[in-house]
């Protein structure tokens, strides 16, 4: 009899416990929606007078420049994680560059867009050489076979057309954002949803403290990538292009068309598609700019402005890895 009574009591406690818990959660959700409670709960006090100093955190056209201490990861995740977004991430690894894939992918699995749906698209001429890397939950990888070229310049600039077609044929209705990243690179620190924006560019680590007229823009008026002296904003790296699929499509399609015109006129811009991208961003301003934390070089020592290195080009022997000088 006593056993029966105890079981009955335990059952009642369980039922009431569940009802109470359900009610409390529902209230939290209701309160969250009504008053931004969750945001207030999650975020610490932000000031409007004190912020990151010593670096430019907003462009003259009012796009944020993303540096450490300009964003709160918990708050950013509270915004983006409810949106169930997918981020396509494209990487080209042709010829000897397949050797960079392992470190790239393994480090991305530690630091890149953790907690988000990520779909890697690996363009390569050697699908069998794509390493087996254990991917986290909601992360997948597709290998796409494409022919290589005997000129590294053609491989690099050819990425624009391949991205244009990938977006048109597969991604337009499947994913929300896309990042195209150089494979000869590694992640060393957090790279998350703070990098998402309509159209995102990265400041080239080699020129972030250089005067505009010393940027290696294409200076010959015969090229479609031409930027005259006296003009220009920043020097952006070709290693990172990102944003909404629709916006990235517009950027890569425009660059591809300009590259075609240059080719027909037998001219190749100083830094191939990077030059065309710089021209594109001069007239179509990026809505978010990533600081050199998001594109550093292992060969460069860390400076005081760079509080954290998140993504960095590894040291490579160009003569040995490239198909031509
Ligand atoms: C710069 C840019 C790069 C591109 C290039 C254009 C940075 C840090 N890098 O780097 O993005 O704009 O200039 O000249 O902004 N690739 C292969 N196999 C090859 C050669 C290249 O797969 O044999 C791919 C690979 O994904 C590589 C990318 O093309 O990451 C760019 O080539 P790179 O890294 O050799 O170009 P680099 O270092 O001059």
């Amino acid at each position: 009899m006593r056993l029966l009574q105890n079981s009955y009591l335990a059952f009642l406690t369980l039922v009431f416990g569940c009802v109470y818990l359900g009610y409390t959660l529902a209230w939290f959700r209701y309160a969250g929606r009504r008053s931004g409670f969750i945001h207030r709960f999650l975020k610490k006090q932000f000031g409007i007078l004190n912020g990151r100093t010593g670096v430019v955190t907003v462009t003259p056209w009012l796009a944020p420049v993303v540096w450490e201490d300009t964003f709160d990861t918990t708050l950013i995740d509270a915004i983006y994680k409810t949106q169930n977004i997918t981020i396509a991430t494209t990487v080209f690894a042709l010829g000897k560059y397949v050797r960079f894939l392992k470190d790239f992918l393994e480090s991305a699995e530690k630091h890149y867009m953790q907690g988000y749906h990520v779909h890697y698209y690996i363009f390569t001429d050697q699908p069998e050489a794509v390493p087996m890397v254990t991917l986290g939950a909601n992360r997948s990888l597709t290998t796409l076979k494409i022919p290589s070229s005997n000129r590294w310049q053609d491989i690099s600039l050819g990425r624009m057309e391949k991205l244009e077609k990938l977006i048109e044929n597969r991604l337009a209705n499947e994913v929300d954002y896309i990042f195209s990243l150089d494979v000869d690179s590694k992640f060393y620190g957090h790279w998350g949803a703070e990098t998402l924006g309509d159209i995102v560019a990265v400041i080239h680590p080699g020129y972030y403290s250089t005067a505009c007229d010393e940027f290696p823009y294409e200076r010959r008026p015969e090229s479609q990538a031409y930027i005259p002296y006296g003009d220009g904003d920043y020097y952006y790296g070709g290693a990172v292009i990102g944003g909404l699929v629709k916006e990235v499509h517009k950027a890569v399609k425009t660059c591809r068309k300009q590259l075609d015109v240059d080719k027909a006129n037998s001219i190749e811009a100083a830094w191939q598609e990077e030059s065309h991208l710089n021209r594109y961003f001069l007239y179509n301003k990026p809505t978010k700019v990533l600081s050199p934390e998001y594109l550093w070089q292992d060969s460069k020592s860390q400076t005081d402005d760079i509080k954290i290195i998140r993504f960095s080009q590894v040291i490579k022997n160009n003569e040995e890895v490239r198909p031509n000088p």
Side-chain angles (χ1 to χ4, degrees):
M1 191 61 188
R2 167 136 309 183
L3 187 70
L4 207 65
Q5 264 179 348
N6 282 351
S7 311
Y8 186 62
L9 264 176
F11 175 72
L12 278 182
T13 313
L14 189 74
V15 169
F16 280 116
C18 287
V19 170
Y20 179 75
L21 194 69
Y23 178 79
T24 312
L25 284 176
W27 183 85
F28 266 76
R29 250 183 261 130
Y30 169 77
R33 255 183 266 127
R34 281 292 301 260
S35 62
F37 170 82
I38 290 171
H39 282 192
R40 246 177 269 151
F41 173 70
L42 288 172
K43 94 177 174 72
K44 50 185 184 280
Q45 176 72 48
F46 292 135
I48 196 75
L49 300 176
N50 300 312
R52 173 76 196 259
T53 52
V55 291
V56 168
T57 57
V58 64
T59 67
W61 58 94
L62 299 179
V65 186
V66 187
W67 298 88
E68 179 71 348
D69 293 339
T70 61
F71 62 93
D72 184 289
T73 308
T74 312
L75 178 60
I76 297 268
D77 281 344
I79 297 166
Y80 283 98
K81 283 206 174 150
T82 55
Q83 295 180 18
N84 201 25
I85 49 173
T86 298
I87 302 133
T89 303
T90 60
V91 195
F92 289 74
L94 297 154
K96 292 187 177 168
Y97 280 55
V98 288
R99 69 176 61 165
F100 300 117
L101 273 172
K102 188 167 186 292
D103 278 357
F104 176 94
L105 289 169
E106 283 180 354
S107 63
E109 283 304 292
K110 282 197 197 115
H111 302 291
Y112 176 71
M113 295 291 181
Q114 288 305 300
Y116 291 89
H117 295 260
V118 170
H119 194 137
Y120 300 102
Y121 291 88
I122 314 286
F123 288 89
T124 182
D125 56 331
Q126 305 149 69
E128 66 289 350
V130 175
M132 296 287 285
V133 170
T134 310
L135 303 179
N138 297 320
R139 299 169 81 95
S140 49
L141 185 150
T142 299
T143 301
L144 301 165
K145 187 168 182 179
I146 57 165
S148 191
S149 161
N150 52 16
R151 284 188 79 238
W152 68 267
Q153 295 91 335
D154 288 336
I155 295 176
S156 193
L157 64 82
R159 294 184 292 177
M160 293 294 173
E161 191 203 348
K162 293 284 182 282
L163 288 174
E164 179 190 351
K165 296 286 174 281
L166 177 74
I167 294 174
E168 285 169 11
N169 299 336
R170 289 178 84 143
L171 304 188
N173 301 313
E174 265 178 35
V175 305
D176 305 279
Y177 292 93
I178 179 169
F179 269 106
S180 164
L181 302 172
D182 266 15
V183 73
D184 53 324
S185 322
K186 257 175 95 167
F187 292 86
Y188 292 103
H190 170 90
W191 175 315
E194 74 281 356
T195 58
L196 299 176
D198 288 5
I199 182 78
V200 182
V202 69
I203 300 286
H204 194 295
Y207 304 97
Y208 76 101
S209 56
T210 306
C212 200
D213 276 353
E214 283 161 35
F215 289 160
Y217 288 149
E218 173 53 60
R219 302 297 188 179
R220 293 167 295 175
E222 299 77 36
S223 169
Q224 300 297 306
Y226 172 58
I227 297 179
Y229 286 103
D231 220 341
D233 301 316
Y234 305 115
Y235 191 79
Y236 304 106
V240 177
I241 315 168
L244 288 172
V245 170
K246 181 168 68 82
E247 289 298 324
V248 173
H249 180 254
K250 202 173 119 198
V252 297
K253 185 174 181 173
T254 307
C255 290
R256 193 268 304 155
K257 282 184 175 170
Q258 311 283 50
L259 281 156
D260 284 352
V261 176
D262 271 13
K263 192 172 180 192
N265 292 329
S266 305
I267 187 162
E268 186 172 280
W271 286 101
Q272 294 76 37
E273 85 296 343
E274 185 176 85
S275 305
H276 288 270
L277 199 61
N278 270 280
R279 159 101 185 189
Y280 181 83
F281 283 137
L282 179 58
Y283 298 105
N284 304 269
K285 307 288 191 208
T287 58
K288 189 171 271 186
V289 174
L290 306 181
S291 72
E293 292 170 6
Y294 292 86
L295 180 61
W296 198 247
Q297 289 165 329
D298 284 2
S299 57
K300 261 173 102 75
S301 36
Q302 193 166 347
T303 56
D304 288 345
D305 333 304
I306 307 297
K307 295 193 179 184
I308 170 174
I309 296 171
R310 303 170 191 279
F311 185 62
S312 178
Q313 248 192 325
V314 299
I315 295 169
K316 66 182 191 290
N317 177 349
N318 287 338
E319 273 179 32
E320 199 260 321
V321 290
R322 287 174 169 170
N324 62 308

